[in-house]
Amino acid sequence: MQMQTITDPQLVEDRTIYGTLILEDGTQFEGKSFGYRQAQAGEVVFSTGMVGYPEALTDASFEGQLLVLTYPLIGNYGVPEQALWEDERIHVSGLIVSNYIDTPSHAQSTMTLATWLKQQKVPALEIKDTRRLTQHIRQHGAMLGKIVFEQDIPFYNPDQENQIARVSTKKLVRAGKGNKTIALIDCGAKRNIVRSLLKRNVEVITVPWDYALFAPEQPLHFDGIVISNGPGNPKYATATINTIRTALEHNVPTLGVCMGNQLLTLAAGGDTYKMKFGHRSQNQPCVMNGTQRCYITTQNHGYAVGDIPEGFAPWFSNANDETNEGIKHISKPFMSVQFHPEAAPGPVDTEWVFDYFLEKIR
C-alpha cells in the first residue's frame, strides 16, 4: 500500500507553540496551541456542555464564533467518522479549552481532536483559566475577540454579515420516502434534524435559505415546512422571512427550530433581540406554557424572541431567565421552538415536538 505524504508541516510539528486570545476590551489570555497555527477573529462565546464537542464544532450555528468550552476535559474521546458529524466541516472559527486530552479512548474515534483541527485549519488554544474567561463574558456579554500568533489581525463581527447565506446548502437535496413531504429550509441545519424526520417516515427536501418555495416557475410539492437552526442575526435572512410569510398566508403547517423560532416570529410581525451571552449548553430548562412541565434541552443561540406576534402565544419559556423558548399560533398549525428537539448532543426530552408537528400534517 502506498503511503500518503504529509506536506503541511503543521500536521507533523511537535514543538510547543503559544498563542493569545485578545478580547475587544483589551483583556488577553495566553494559551498553548493544539490546533492550526493561523490567526482568526470572531465573536467569543461559551458553551457549558459536558459532552458533544464533535457535534458542537460542526454545528453551523457557531459560524463566525470563537467557542470556549467550559468542561475541563476536551478531546478525551477523539473524533468520530464524518457520518456522525452535524455538517461536513468544522464551523467554529477557533476553539478555547481548559485541558486538551491528546490520548483519546473511544471505539468510534478515528483521529485526535488536534489532528482534526489542523486538517480543517482551525486554531485552538489550551487556556488554563477558562473559568475566569467565562465569568468575564457573563459579566460583560459576548464580545469580539481574536486568536493571534506571530501577526495581529483586525477584529471581525459576524453579526454584521448574513451568516445564514454562508452556511446554507446551494442545491436542493431529497432524502427518504413517505406519503408526506417536508420542505426543510436550510439556514445551517444540523444533520440530526433530517435524521429525526426521516425516521418518522416522511420525505425531506432540503432547500437553500433563499429558495423560492412558492414560485410558479419552480413548482415543488410539500405538505409542511421546517425552518432549521442557523447562525448570526436573523434579520439578514429577508428572503427566508418572505418565504415564511407566504407560507403563513397559505396556511402551510410550519415548524421552526432555534433560528427558525426567530424567523417565524419576524415573518409573523414580531421582533427579536440580541442576548447578553446567549444559551449554549445541553441543560437549559424549558417550561411549557400553562403547565408545570419542565424539559431539559440542548440550545445554541445568541438571539431571542422579544415581541410575540399577533395571533401567537408563548409555547415555552426558559426557567433560568424567563426568555422565550417557543411560540405557537392559537388556531393554525404554525409553531416553533428555540431549543433543539433533535438534540445531538444532549437530552432527547423534546423529540416529541416532531411528532406533534407531523400530526398537524397527517
Side-chain angles (χ1 to χ4, degrees):
M1 183 177 66
Q2 185 176 6
M3 298 295 291
Q4 183 179 3
T5 302
I6 300 176
T7 58
D8 191 332
Q10 289 206 42
L11 298 181
V12 296
E13 189 173 53
D14 58 0
R15 66 189 179 96
T16 302
I17 303 294
Y18 289 90
T20 305
L21 172 67
I22 304 175
L23 303 182
E24 62 180 313
D25 65 358
T27 306
Q28 298 188 19
F29 296 84
E30 186 182 57
K32 184 167 64 175
S33 171
F34 65 95
Y36 196 73
R37 194 172 72 254
Q38 174 177 284
Q40 281 284 7
E43 181 184 39
V44 182
V45 300
F46 67 87
S47 174
T48 60
M50 294 178 64
V51 297
Y53 58 83
E55 293 91 339
L57 298 184
T58 54
D59 181 352
S61 297
F62 280 118
E63 184 75 15
Q65 294 181 326
L66 303 174
L67 176 60
V68 180
L69 296 178
T70 64
Y71 189 68
L73 300 179
I74 301 297
N76 54 321
Y77 56 91
V79 180
E81 60 180 314
Q82 188 175 9
L84 299 176
W85 304 354
E86 287 306 301
D87 202 2
E88 60 187 12
R89 66 177 177 90
I90 294 178
H91 281 280
V92 301
S93 296
L95 179 65
I96 305 293
V97 306
S98 172
N99 188 19
Y100 167 62
I101 307 300
D102 199 44
T103 53
S105 177
H106 196 283
Q108 292 180 328
S109 177
T110 62
M111 69 183 94
T112 66
L113 176 57
T115 299
W116 190 32
L117 292 165
K118 290 174 182 177
Q119 287 181 355
Q120 304 247 328
K121 298 187 177 180
V122 177
L125 296 180
E126 186 182 63
I127 294 175
K128 291 305 180 183
D129 202 357
T130 52
R131 179 178 177 82
R132 176 171 169 257
L133 172 57
T134 303
Q135 289 175 331
H136 190 80
I137 296 173
R138 282 184 60 91
Q139 180 180 354
H140 300 284
M143 62 180 66
L144 303 185
K146 52 188 175 181
I147 295 175
V148 298
F149 296 93
E150 293 87 359
Q151 295 182 330
D152 197 8
I153 59 172
F155 290 106
Y156 166 68
N157 188 350
D159 287 340
Q160 294 181 350
E161 292 183 3
N162 187 347
Q163 298 297 323
I164 290 175
R166 296 181 57 163
V167 301
S168 178
T169 183
K170 300 297 187 289
K171 59 183 180 180
L172 187 147
V173 181
R174 293 178 180 267
K177 293 182 179 179
N179 58 5
K180 296 297 180 181
T181 301
I182 301 299
L184 172 63
I185 302 178
D186 180 13
C187 299
K190 290 167 62 182
R191 285 176 173 171
N192 212 41
I193 293 179
V194 176
R195 298 185 195 112
S196 298
L197 291 170
L198 291 180
K199 71 181 183 180
R200 287 166 171 79
N201 301 316
V202 297
E203 180 184 14
V204 179
I205 304 177
T206 303
V207 301
W209 72 281
D210 56 353
Y211 188 86
L213 273 177
F214 296 94
E217 64 271 16
Q218 49 187 26
L220 186 68
H221 169 73
F222 53 91
D223 302 290
I225 295 174
V226 173
I227 316 154
S228 84
N229 61 291
N233 187 339
K235 293 181 179 178
Y236 278 104
T238 54
T240 312
I241 293 169
N242 290 333
T243 297
I244 300 168
R245 190 172 292 129
T246 303
L248 300 183
E249 294 171 355
H250 287 75
N251 290 322
V252 179
T254 301
L255 168 67
V257 174
C258 195
M259 172 64 75
N261 183 46
Q262 300 158 35
L263 293 174
L264 177 62
T265 295
L266 294 171
D271 201 7
T272 59
Y273 66 96
K274 184 172 176 62
M275 306 175 74
K276 184 176 181 180
F277 49 79
H279 294 155
R280 297 173 182 88
S281 66
Q282 297 124 40
N283 60 354
Q284 290 289 331
C286 294
V287 178
M288 181 185 290
N289 191 53
T291 75
Q292 292 184 320
R293 292 182 179 178
C294 184
Y295 299 91
I296 304 302
T297 67
T298 293
Q299 299 194 21
N300 176 15
H301 63 102
Y303 284 78
V305 168
D307 298 333
I308 306 294
E310 184 178 353
F312 286 78
W315 194 9
F316 297 90
S317 61
N318 192 287
N320 288 334
D321 57 17
E322 299 183 348
T323 55
N324 176 264
E325 293 286 0
I327 62 174
K328 185 169 65 169
H329 197 276
I330 58 177
S331 61
K332 297 180 180 181
F334 314 141
M335 65 201 75
S336 58
V337 292
Q338 188 59 64
F339 48 81
H340 286 274
E342 82 285 355
V348 293
D349 296 29
T350 56
E351 194 175 5
W352 60 266
V353 168
F354 290 115
D355 298 309
Y356 181 82
F357 169 66
L358 292 176
E359 286 174 7
K360 304 299 181 182
I361 298 173
R362 290 170 170 151

